[in-house]
């Protein structure tokens, strides 16, 4: 073992410090969920009261249920649209793909608050002025709002995966007299599957996380969890909020672990997983 | 070929239609609203007379301060993310044994996928004047009174650096990882020290990652609404809140729309100006580093800005980076 230089030691310290910084508020929230006091900020004593309180508050349960329901529908929709678009970009590129990627880029760089203030009058216009009932439905409005960014993310991920795998397999399948639809179903889709699953789970987490668009487009009666927390911010944060967050953190961890396992099975290295997950 | 020949973009059509109806159309409508005005107390917008007046209003001294404040938080936040994230990403990609990299990446990603709002509330708890950090600092005598950071611009800065840091670390990690060990070893074999290897080989090759990280942090940060709402209070206002308040409380959709469009314009202008400054500032460095083998094609400019990274550079074998000076 050679002598470690001062710069290596400094980098080690820095790296660990950054990780601690990244986990600090999450740890604070987890600890706060065991606070028996009335307010989140003021520590009283250790106990499981907050977790019990969840069961007695239908508003919290409803909000979480709305979030999960919206998340599943939005993720399904975004995965369907994004997968098809990603396959088209990877396997049938052309001038159109250039414009389409431009649109996806625009979707991903537009600040959420702009999407939010734009969608609100638009949905009011579609739902009330044009009288299309679907756009007055709380869940439908949330799904629309949450799906925009996710469609772009899934498209990137699926495209990146298929571009990495050249088209020879599809050509071979066509040479062996498989019809285009059969090739699509038996070759292209299985090839894209890890990216599709990763995209689905990422869309789900993105939807669970979405606060800004949800706060604008939500209809009273179908308030998703983050919007519930946002309104609780004004009336005083109680430990129940930390308790639900702790439970949801566990759920997210399970989802992330699933993504990692799926990608690793498909033979990706840690770096490739990171690239897939950040959409690079 | 049997059946009907579908156009190449057929599979992308559903996504395209979805985004046109629920992204392009509403945003276009907001741009249209921004030229209108607020008719009376009860109306939200009217577009029978179109003008640029709302843009003038959005830049009036009352709101202009919020724009400069947002730009300050955006630039300072991005710079801090780069300063904090760069060594951390380098450490993860180069110094940590490969077997442990996956775990570290997962650790960086966990906060990224934890609820944004809840993470920010975590900081509110930490920075609260009656919180444990405040007591700790007073206990060891670093501060006299309770911590007075919450609901200031400093709190917003801490919040945004925290919230967007993973978006900086991940692309930087990928970029450093891609440079690979052999190039660094070659540089050291040719007599360069570790600092020189880093500044002349690793960092230039990781440039696409740096650019990606800066953009991934700066753009969403400028439009941030949550962090400023939770940590900023009245003293740490950002444009996102301004836009929201015009739609939710003031009911002036025309002015709110103009502010939203201004926000996008400010982001684009800052990225363009920043890119130009960096390009000009690094020009002498690039010219000195460039080793021209054979004749330079007359049409090619001396250096290109933007994203011609190692991948794109590989397509032009006449130009290579010079690791050590002659």
């Amino acid at each position: 073992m050679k002598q470690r230089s001062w710069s290596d030691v400094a980098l080690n310290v820095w790296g660990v410090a950054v990780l601690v910084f990244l986990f600090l508020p999450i740890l604070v929230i987890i600890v706060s969920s065991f606070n028996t006091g009335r307010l989140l900020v003021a520590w009283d004593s250790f106990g499981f009261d907050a977790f019990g309180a969840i069961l007695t508050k239908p508003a919290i349960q409803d909000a979480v249920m709305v979030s999960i329901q919206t998340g599943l529908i939005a993720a399904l929709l975004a995965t369907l649209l994004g997968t098809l678009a990603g396959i088209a970009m990877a396997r049938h590129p052309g001038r159109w793909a250039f414009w389409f990627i431009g649109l996806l880029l625009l979707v991903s760089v537009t600040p959420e608050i702009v999407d939010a203030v734009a969608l609100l009058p638009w949905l009011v216009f579609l739902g009330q002025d044009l009288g299309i009932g679907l756009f007055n439905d709380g869940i439908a409005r949330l799904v629309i709002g949450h799906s925009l960014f996710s469609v772009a993310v899934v498209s990137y991920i699926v495209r990146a995966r298929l571009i990495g795998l050249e088209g020879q397999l599809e050509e071979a399948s066509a040479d062996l007299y498989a019809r285009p639809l059969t090739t699509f179903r038996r070759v292209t889709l299985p090839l894209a599957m890890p990216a599709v699953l990763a995209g689905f789970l990422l869309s789900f987490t993105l939807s669970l996380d979405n606060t800004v668009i949800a706060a604008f487009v939500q209809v009273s009666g179908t308030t998703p969890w983050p919007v519930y927390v946002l309104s609780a911010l004004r009336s005083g944060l109680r430990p129940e909020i930390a308790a639900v967050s702790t439970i949801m953190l566990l759920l997210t961890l399970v989802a992330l672990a699933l993504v990692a396992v799926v990608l690793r099975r498909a033979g990706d290295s840690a770096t490739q997983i990171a690239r897939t997950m950040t959409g690079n | 070929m049997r059946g009907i020949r579908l156009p190449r973009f057929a599979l992308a059509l559903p996504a395209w239609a979805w985004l046109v109806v629920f992204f392009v159309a509403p945003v276009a409508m907001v741009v249209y609203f921004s030229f209108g005005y607020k008719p009376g107390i009860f109306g939200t917008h009217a577009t029978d007379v179109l003008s640029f007046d709302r843009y003038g209003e959005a830049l009036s001294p009352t709101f202009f301060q919020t724009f400069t404040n947002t730009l300050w938080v955006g630039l300072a936040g991005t710079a801090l993310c780069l300063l904090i994230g760069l060594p951390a990403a380098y450490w993860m990609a180069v110094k940590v044994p490969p077997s442990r990299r996956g775990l570290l990446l997962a650790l960086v990603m966990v906060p990224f996928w934890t609820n944004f709002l809840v993470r920010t509330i975590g900081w509110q708890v930490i920075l609260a004047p009656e919180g444990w950090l405040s007591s700790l600092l007073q206990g060891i005598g670093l501060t006299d009174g309770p911590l007075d950071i919450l609901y200031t611009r400093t709190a917003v800065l801490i919040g945004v650096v925290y919230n967007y840091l993973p978006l900086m670390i991940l692309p930087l990690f990928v970029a450093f990882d891609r440079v690979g060990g052999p190039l660094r070893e070659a540089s050291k074999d040719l007599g360069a020290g570790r600092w020189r290897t880093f500044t002349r080989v690793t960092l230039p090759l990781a440039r696409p990652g740096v650019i990606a990280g800066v953009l991934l942090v700066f753009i969403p940060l400028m439009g941030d609404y949550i962090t400023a709402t939770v940590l900023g209070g009245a003293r740490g206002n950002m444009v996102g809140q301004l836009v929201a308040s015009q739609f939710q409380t003031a009911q002036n959709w025309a002015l709110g729309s103009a502010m939203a469009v201004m926000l996008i314009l400010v982001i684009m202008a800052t990225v363009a100006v920043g890119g130009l400054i960096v390009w000009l500032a690094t020009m002498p460095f690039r010219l000195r580093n460039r080793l021209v083998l054979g004749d330079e094609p007359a049409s090619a400019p001396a250096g290109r800005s933007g994203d011609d990274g190692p991948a794109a550079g590989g397509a032009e074998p006449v130009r290579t980076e010079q690791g050590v000076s002659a």
Side-chain angles (χ1 to χ4, degrees):
Chain A
M1 194 82 191
K2 64 179 177 186
Q3 186 73 37
R4 295 192 123 194
S5 70
W6 65 268
S7 63
D8 283 11
V9 174
L11 275 173
N12 276 329
V13 171
W14 188 265
V16 172
V18 166
L19 285 177
V20 169
F21 174 67
L22 285 174
F23 273 84
L24 193 60
I26 297 174
L27 289 178
V28 165
I29 289 292
I30 294 176
V31 170
S32 301
S33 61
F34 298 103
N35 181 5
T36 55
R38 216 180 61 78
L39 286 175
L40 192 71
V41 188
W43 179 261
D44 194 31
S45 61
F46 182 89
F48 293 90
D49 297 17
F51 290 93
I54 299 171
L55 298 173
T56 61
K57 291 208 168 170
I60 291 184
Q61 294 169 28
D62 288 350
V64 173
M65 280 316 291
V66 166
S67 268
I68 291 176
Q69 210 180 334
T70 311
L72 285 176
I73 304 175
L76 268 177
L77 187 81
T79 309
L80 182 70
L81 298 177
T83 302
L84 292 178
I87 290 175
M89 282 192 289
R91 289 292 181 257
H92 308 286
R95 261 185 96 76
W96 73 272
F98 176 76
W99 293 104
F100 189 68
I101 290 177
L103 176 63
L104 293 182
L105 267 179
L106 210 59
V107 171
S108 24
V109 302
T110 305
E112 261 193 324
I113 187 77
V114 176
D115 287 339
V117 297
L119 264 179
L120 174 65
W122 182 247
L123 291 174
V124 170
F125 168 72
L126 290 177
Q128 277 153 32
D129 299 355
L130 296 187
I132 308 170
L134 179 69
F135 298 112
N136 297 324
D137 180 69
I139 299 282
R141 288 166 77 130
L142 290 173
V143 165
I144 291 170
H146 294 183
S147 66
L148 297 175
F149 185 66
S150 300
V151 168
V153 169
V154 179
S155 305
Y156 290 140
I157 295 178
V158 171
R159 173 178 175 267
R161 162 108 196 152
L162 285 179
I163 280 194
L165 306 161
E166 295 294 331
Q168 292 103 332
L169 285 171
E170 276 107 324
E171 282 161 26
S173 163
D175 288 348
L176 293 169
Y177 299 107
R179 281 180 303 165
L181 198 64
T182 315
T183 303
F184 182 81
R185 201 165 47 84
R186 302 282 296 270
V187 181
T188 314
L189 264 190
L191 278 180
M193 212 26 120
V196 174
L197 284 178
F200 176 83
L201 286 166
L202 292 187
S203 308
F204 181 70
T205 15
L206 282 174
S207 173
L208 279 190
D209 206 31
N210 195 311
T211 316
V212 181
I213 297 182
F216 274 81
V217 303
Q218 66 135 350
V219 182
S220 58
T222 46
T223 303
W225 169 245
V227 180
Y228 178 89
V229 177
L230 195 64
S231 56
L233 200 60
R234 295 188 185 108
S235 54
L237 292 165
R238 299 173 54 84
E240 288 98 276
I241 288 185
V244 178
S245 304
T246 305
I247 295 172
M248 291 187 74
L249 173 65
L250 284 176
L251 283 179
T252 315
L253 287 184
V254 171
L256 274 177
L258 276 177
V259 176
V261 168
V262 167
L263 290 181
R264 178 154 291 184
R265 276 211 172 158
D268 286 11
S269 72
T271 314
Q272 283 168 314
I273 294 176
R275 287 180 59 193
T276 305
M277 286 189 162
T278 47
N280 278 316
Chain B
M1 196 53 116
R2 276 175 292 179
I4 314 151
R5 188 87 176 86
L6 290 167
R8 306 178 71 76
F9 51 82
L11 285 176
L13 266 183
W16 196 315
W18 185 262
L19 292 177
V20 165
V21 173
F22 296 114
F23 174 77
V24 178
V27 171
M29 193 164 79
V30 156
V31 174
Y32 178 57
F33 282 174
S34 70
F35 298 113
Y37 62 96
K38 177 177 168 67
I41 302 170
F42 299 109
T44 53
H45 65 283
T47 42
D48 48 310
V49 183
L50 298 180
S51 68
F52 282 101
D53 292 356
R54 295 295 84 67
Y55 288 89
E57 209 177 316
L59 290 179
S60 64
T62 345
F63 302 127
F64 189 72
Q65 227 240 306
T66 310
F67 273 95
T68 50
N69 190 36
T70 306
L71 195 59
W72 185 87
V73 172
L75 293 175
T78 310
L80 278 174
C81 277
L82 186 61
L83 282 177
I84 296 172
L86 195 104
Y90 183 77
W91 172 70
M92 283 169 58
V94 177
K95 299 294 174 190
V96 170
S99 56
R100 257 187 282 162
R101 263 172 222 164
L103 177 70
L104 285 177
L105 270 179
L107 287 179
V108 171
M109 267 187 264
V110 168
F112 186 41
W113 298 114
T114 318
N115 192 298
F116 194 96
L117 178 59
V118 170
R119 282 186 284 167
T120 316
I121 290 173
W123 277 107
Q124 197 186 41
V125 175
I126 296 171
L127 297 176
E130 66 274 22
W132 56 267
L133 183 66
S134 176
S135 334
L136 182 79
L137 289 178
Q138 284 176 78
I140 57 174
L142 274 177
T143 50
D144 299 332
L147 201 60
D148 184 28
I149 289 184
L150 195 59
Y151 307 128
T152 63
R153 201 160 71 166
T154 316
V156 177
L157 191 62
I158 295 175
V160 292
V161 167
Y162 173 80
N163 277 329
Y164 296 103
L165 188 58
L167 286 174
M168 181 65 87
I169 293 181
L170 292 176
L172 281 175
F173 169 83
V174 172
F176 283 135
D177 189 66
R178 223 186 255 164
V179 174
L183 275 175
R184 280 195 305 277
E185 274 165 35
S187 164
K188 283 180 184 153
D189 288 348
L190 290 168
R194 40 178 110 239
W195 178 247
R196 194 165 198 168
T197 301
F198 178 73
T199 53
R200 299 292 292 271
V201 177
T202 314
L203 198 56
L205 286 176
R207 200 178 57 181
V210 176
I211 294 171
V214 166
L215 290 178
L216 277 176
V217 168
F218 180 74
I219 293 172
L221 203 167
M222 286 293 284
D224 188 277
Y225 167 71
I226 306 279
T227 315
T229 306
V230 177
L231 299 173
R235 282 187 285 170
N237 230 331
M238 284 180 71
V239 180
Q241 289 163 290
L242 212 56
V243 175
S245 72
Q246 289 303 322
F247 274 81
Q248 285 178 321
T249 47
Q251 292 289 325
N252 190 343
W253 288 11
L255 182 57
S257 300
M259 286 169 174
V261 176
M262 276 301 299
L263 174 64
I264 295 177
L265 291 179
V266 168
I267 293 174
M268 283 176 10
T270 314
V271 169
V273 170
L276 190 69
I277 290 173
V278 170
W279 185 71
L280 287 175
T282 54
M283 178 108 82
F285 185 74
R286 278 200 314 274
L287 288 177
R288 194 169 61 114
N289 260 10
R290 187 134 281 149
L291 182 68
V292 180
L293 304 175
D295 289 325
E296 180 97 336
S299 61
R304 275 192 297 161
S305 71
D307 49 9
D308 57 335
E316 295 162 275
V318 287
R319 297 194 269 147
T320 68
E321 300 280 349
Q322 193 181 11
V324 277
S325 54

